[in-house]
Amino acid sequence: MDLLTFESQLKKADSLLKVESVLVTYLAAFGFSAFAFTLYAGHVKTGQKIRYDYASPALKTWHAYYLEQGYADIDRTLEQNSQHHLPLYWDV
């Protein structure tokens, strides 16, 4: 799937489930089968609440544990990343 098709499908998505489906399909086209998305309301370190959270089945348990333990509050990678508003990729 090319970027223009991806953008077009996102624009047509009329529910969060459809947005997730488009994201899963797009990432799968590049060989990604395990991923998680987390969107915070504000900066992670200020104790802001999670606005959106999705993890693929392979990462669901780990991602839930990561969030429950509050690792996002001490993760320097996330702090630096939120200052630049770029997605973060971990190769685990």
Side-chain angles (χ1 to χ4, degrees):
M1 174 188 309
D2 64 37
L3 194 54
L4 291 175
T5 303
F6 174 64
E7 180 184 18
S8 173
Q9 289 182 356
L10 281 178
K11 287 179 181 178
K12 292 177 187 175
D14 57 1
S15 72
L16 189 53
L17 285 175
K18 289 183 182 176
V19 169
E20 290 170 357
S21 175
V22 172
L23 289 169
V24 168
T25 302
Y26 183 73
L27 291 172
F30 294 98
F32 291 98
S33 60
F35 47 85
F37 300 103
T38 310
L39 174 65
Y40 292 87
H43 193 281
V44 175
K45 296 241 180 234
T46 62
Q48 296 294 331
K49 300 291 182 198
I50 294 174
R51 294 187 68 182
Y52 172 76
D53 178 38
Y54 173 83
S56 62
L59 282 181
K60 195 169 281 297
T61 303
W62 175 85
H63 188 65
Y65 179 77
Y66 179 90
L67 295 175
E68 287 170 10
Q69 295 301 311
Y71 290 140
D73 295 336
I74 59 172
D75 193 331
R76 302 304 268 174
T77 307
L78 290 177
E79 181 179 0
Q80 177 187 17
N81 208 48
S82 67
Q83 294 169 357
H84 301 290
H85 306 289
L86 297 172
L88 177 67
Y89 303 96
W90 280 308
D91 186 7
V92 293

